């Protein structure tokens, strides 16, 4: 892809001349000559070898526009959905739009962005917990720049380095705080002490931070595709909000302890979804779990699962097409179910000792082989997600499929299909036999084909509910 930088041209103007007509004409001739010389110099001057960021992507500007349109802000704010903590994370799409694998690469990029957002939430909470813990044992002995860091890895290394030099009694007290019985530990060298403290400190603070991770919803996906520049494959950004109110939704989803009267009517969800489903609009801007609420304060949870079947015109047999479609449908449905299971599981993971042991093992493996999992938000998010997947065992009641769709992305021409699932106190109560409702099992589906294109594009979506 060529990057074209146009040469600048300079024009002198606005010069006031106060002289006789003859001298004025002479001055005007000089000005014209100067202008031509400057234009020639500018045209012959090579462009700067340094590329400006906005020559590649205006993604940050689009994120700000997205938030401004809704009155939301990064960080904790009453302006955000349910007054929650809002973070935005992005990931590049690792495939060219002309590739058959682009559709799956786009979905993976969205998942990667979500993991970064989760990692940012966990790492910042873990750092706050870790600073408070270190102050207790080290009496403000850590440098201010370390305390103010957002890197759990940097804080862990600083704490481990200082702790390794502490007295035996102080070190034992700190190990006890971290959940380690000093009496069961053999004598350790300074290097072994540092490794032990690092492992225990990072895993313990991460474990405690995971206890605060519940109630995480995805309230927007911003996608950019096409255009000039070396990253023209595009990138995906996700808007994630964590709120105590959403955590309560997750607790109800997991336990079945619900109040049917608090449910957002399923018909309202259908009414919002139906135009998109019938028109075959690719619902690529919705992802993961999104809590929804109406003006009356009634609520529910939507889950979106998406898959990109890899279909090639003219080169696939009928049975290959059928098999690919069935596989993609199953993948999308499992994704939607999985998002709800994860949302429910997050409400209790921080309280489980097995989760703590799993994190400790992940941290030890990371430190041992030099990988960078805990040095980036994405790495921490991936580590936490691995633990969640291994520990999740939620038995959910009342989940219903309210929409199925398939469509062609008008920008890239790739086919996608997806499932939309819904849970509310009413659907849960019905599944438990608490309230009969004959209308809530109806499915809606729609599909349509659209012309494909290759132009630069950007799209985004917000929340279904009223926040």
């Amino acid at each position: 892809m060529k990057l074209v930088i146009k040469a600048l041209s300079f024009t002198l103007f606005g010069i006031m001349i106060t002289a006789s007509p003859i001298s004025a004409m002479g001055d005007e001739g000089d000005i014209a000559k100067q202008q031509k010389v400057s234009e020639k110099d500018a045209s012959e001057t090579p462009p700067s070898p340094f590329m400006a960021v906005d020559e590649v992507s205006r993604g940050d500007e689009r994120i700000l526009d997205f938030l401004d349109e809704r009155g939301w802000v990064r960080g904790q704010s009453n302006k955000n959905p349910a007054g929650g903590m809002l973070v935005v994370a992005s990931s590049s799409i690792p495939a060219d739009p002309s590739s058959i694998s682009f559709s799956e690469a786009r979905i993976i990029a969205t998942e990667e962005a979500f993991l970064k957002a989760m990692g940012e939430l966990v790492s910042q909470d873990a750092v706050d917990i870790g600073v408070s813990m270190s102050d207790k044992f080290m009496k403000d002995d850590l440098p201010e720049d370390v305390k103010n860091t957002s890197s759990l890895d940097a804080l862990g290394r600083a704490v481990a380095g200082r702790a390794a030099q502490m007295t035996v009694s102080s070190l034992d007290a700190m190990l006890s705080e971290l959940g380690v019985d000093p009496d069961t530990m053999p004598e350790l060298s300074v290097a072994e002490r540092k490794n032990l403290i690092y492992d225990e400190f990072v895993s313990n603070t991460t474990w405690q931070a995971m206890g605060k991770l519940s109630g995480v919803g995805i309230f927007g996906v911003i996608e950019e595709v096409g255009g000039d520049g070396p990253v023209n494959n595009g990138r995906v950004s996700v808007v994630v909000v964590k709120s105590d109110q959403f955590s309560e939704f997750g607790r109800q989803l997991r336990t079945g302890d619900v109040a049917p009267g608090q449910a957002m009517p399923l018909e309202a969800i259908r009414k919002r979804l139906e135009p998109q489903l019938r028109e075959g609009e690719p619902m690529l801007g919705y992802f993961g779990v999104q809590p929804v609420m109406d003006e009356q304060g009634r609520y529910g949870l939507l889950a979106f699962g998406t898959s990109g079947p890899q279909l090639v015109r003219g080169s696939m047999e009928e049975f290959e097409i059928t098999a690919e479609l069935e596989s993609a449908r199953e993948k999308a449905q499992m994704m939607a179910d999985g998002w709800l299971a994860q949302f429910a599981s997050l409400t209790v993971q921080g309280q489980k000792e097995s989760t703590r042991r799993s994190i400790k093992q992940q941290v030890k493996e990371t430190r041992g082989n030099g990988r960078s999992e805990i040095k980036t938000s994405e790495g921490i998010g991936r580590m936490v997600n691995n633990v969640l997947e291994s520990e999740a065992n939620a038995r959910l009641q009342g989940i219903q499929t309210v929409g199925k769709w398939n469509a062609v992305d008008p920008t890239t021409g790739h086919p996608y299909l997806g499932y939309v699932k819904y849970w509310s106190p009413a659907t849960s109560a019905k599944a438990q036999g608490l309230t009969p409702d004959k209308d809530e099992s109806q499915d809606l589906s729609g599909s349509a084909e659209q012309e494909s294109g290759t132009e630069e594009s950007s799209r985004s979506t917000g929340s279904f509910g009223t926040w």
Side-chain angles (χ1 to χ4, degrees):
M1 177 70 66
K2 279 187 183 176
L3 177 66
V4 180
I5 302 179
K6 295 182 179 178
L8 298 177
S9 63
F10 299 93
T11 305
L12 272 89
F13 61 94
I15 296 178
M16 185 175 291
I17 310 234
T18 56
S20 65
I22 296 175
S23 63
M25 288 179 62
D27 288 343
E28 287 175 1
D30 291 341
I31 291 172
K33 288 180 181 179
Q34 292 173 20
Q35 179 177 338
K36 288 182 179 180
V37 170
S38 65
E39 288 180 347
K40 181 179 179 183
D41 290 343
S43 65
E44 293 176 352
T45 302
S48 168
F50 306 110
M51 182 180 293
V53 172
D54 59 7
E55 292 178 78
V56 179
S57 170
R58 297 188 301 276
D60 292 338
E61 180 183 322
R62 291 186 177 113
I63 290 171
L64 289 175
D65 290 342
F66 177 91
L67 297 178
D68 289 344
E69 286 172 7
R70 294 157 180 82
W72 300 346
V73 296
R74 283 184 169 96
Q76 188 83 38
S77 175
N78 290 331
K79 297 178 180 179
N80 297 332
M85 167 73 74
L86 184 149
V87 299
V88 183
S90 305
S91 183
S92 296
I93 302 174
D96 186 273
S98 63
S99 168
I100 189 175
S101 62
F102 176 82
S103 54
E104 281 299 301
R106 184 208 167 278
I107 294 169
I108 291 171
T110 313
E111 292 174 337
E112 295 288 334
F114 175 67
L115 291 180
K116 285 183 183 179
M118 278 221 305
E120 185 175 334
L121 290 169
V122 171
S123 59
Q124 191 53 62
D125 280 342
V127 166
D128 293 341
I129 293 167
V131 168
S132 177
M133 186 185 298
S134 63
D135 281 346
K136 177 179 178 180
F137 291 97
M138 299 181 181
K139 298 179 175 58
D140 296 325
D141 193 31
L142 289 176
E144 284 302 316
D145 62 330
V146 174
K147 286 186 178 183
N148 294 331
T149 184
S150 60
S151 168
L152 181 58
D153 177 65
L155 180 63
R157 293 189 184 284
V159 169
R162 297 295 175 93
Q165 308 300 327
M166 291 167 60
T167 64
V168 173
S169 59
S170 298
L171 181 60
D172 287 350
M174 188 171 185
L175 286 171
S176 297
E177 179 75 11
L178 293 171
V180 179
D181 183 359
D183 294 334
T184 63
M185 304 300 298
E187 288 192 20
L188 302 174
S189 66
V190 174
E192 289 170 332
R193 278 188 174 196
K194 289 176 68 173
N195 287 340
L196 175 64
I197 290 292
Y198 178 88
D199 291 348
E200 296 296 340
F201 180 83
V202 172
S203 58
N204 190 283
T205 52
T206 302
W207 177 68
Q208 291 186 51
M210 278 184 66
K212 298 182 176 183
L213 189 60
S214 60
V216 176
I218 299 178
F219 279 79
V221 176
I222 304 163
E223 180 189 3
E224 309 150 63
V225 177
D228 292 333
V231 291
N232 66 319
N233 294 347
R235 75 169 185 170
V236 180
S237 303
V238 296
V239 179
V240 174
V241 179
K242 182 184 77 164
S243 166
D244 291 340
Q245 187 174 352
F246 303 157
S247 182
E248 171 59 19
F249 297 171
R251 186 195 66 78
Q252 293 183 29
L253 173 62
R254 184 179 182 88
T255 64
D257 180 15
V258 294
Q262 293 296 311
M264 186 172 175
L266 187 55
E267 195 54 43
I269 298 296
R270 289 197 176 109
K271 186 176 180 180
R272 175 66 185 267
L273 285 171
E274 189 168 7
Q276 298 176 74
L277 295 171
R278 293 199 181 282
E279 292 169 13
E281 178 180 334
M283 298 183 67
L284 301 177
Y286 300 107
F287 191 77
V289 171
Q290 183 180 123
V292 292
M293 181 177 284
D294 63 13
E295 293 85 351
Q296 287 76 44
R298 298 173 297 185
Y299 59 88
L301 297 171
L302 279 169
F304 301 91
T306 308
S307 182
Q310 298 189 7
L311 305 175
V312 182
R313 191 182 305 276
S315 64
M316 296 181 72
E317 300 290 341
E318 184 176 350
F319 77 91
E320 292 177 309
I321 295 172
T322 301
E324 180 66 18
L325 284 174
E326 287 302 317
S327 175
R329 287 191 183 98
E330 183 178 0
K331 189 180 297 183
Q333 186 164 8
M334 289 176 64
M335 180 185 288
D337 289 335
W339 282 121
L340 285 168
Q342 183 189 73
F343 190 89
S345 297
L346 280 171
T347 61
V348 297
Q349 288 302 323
Q351 305 166 14
K352 295 175 66 176
E353 185 61 32
S354 60
T355 305
R356 184 175 182 171
R357 290 195 299 270
S358 296
I359 292 176
K360 181 178 176 180
Q361 186 60 36
Q362 293 258 341
V363 170
K364 286 181 69 176
E365 290 176 358
T366 297
R367 189 218 0 113
N369 64 18
R371 294 188 311 221
S372 60
E373 271 85 344
I374 52 181
K375 295 182 181 179
T376 64
S377 295
E378 183 180 359
I380 291 176
R382 187 178 301 283
M383 180 179 73
V384 168
N385 194 60
N386 289 340
V387 173
L388 288 173
E389 287 181 347
S390 65
E391 296 285 317
N393 61 354
R395 295 178 178 85
L396 309 180
Q397 299 184 75
I399 296 174
Q400 295 194 12
T401 299
V402 294
K404 295 183 287 186
W405 61 269
N406 63 82
V408 173
D409 185 340
T411 303
T412 66
H414 289 84
Y416 289 89
L417 55 82
Y419 275 79
V420 185
K421 299 208 171 188
Y422 184 64
W423 174 93
S424 75
T427 61
S428 178
K430 181 191 173 190
Q432 298 176 65
L434 302 178
T435 56
D437 190 336
K438 296 181 180 179
D439 185 47
E440 290 195 342
S441 61
Q442 180 182 352
D443 280 358
L444 296 174
S445 63
S447 66
E449 293 190 4
Q450 304 179 27
E451 295 297 323
S452 63
T454 57
E455 296 181 0
E456 178 180 4
S457 71
S458 173
R459 64 173 157 227
S460 62
T461 52
S463 58
F464 267 75
T466 300
W467 294 104

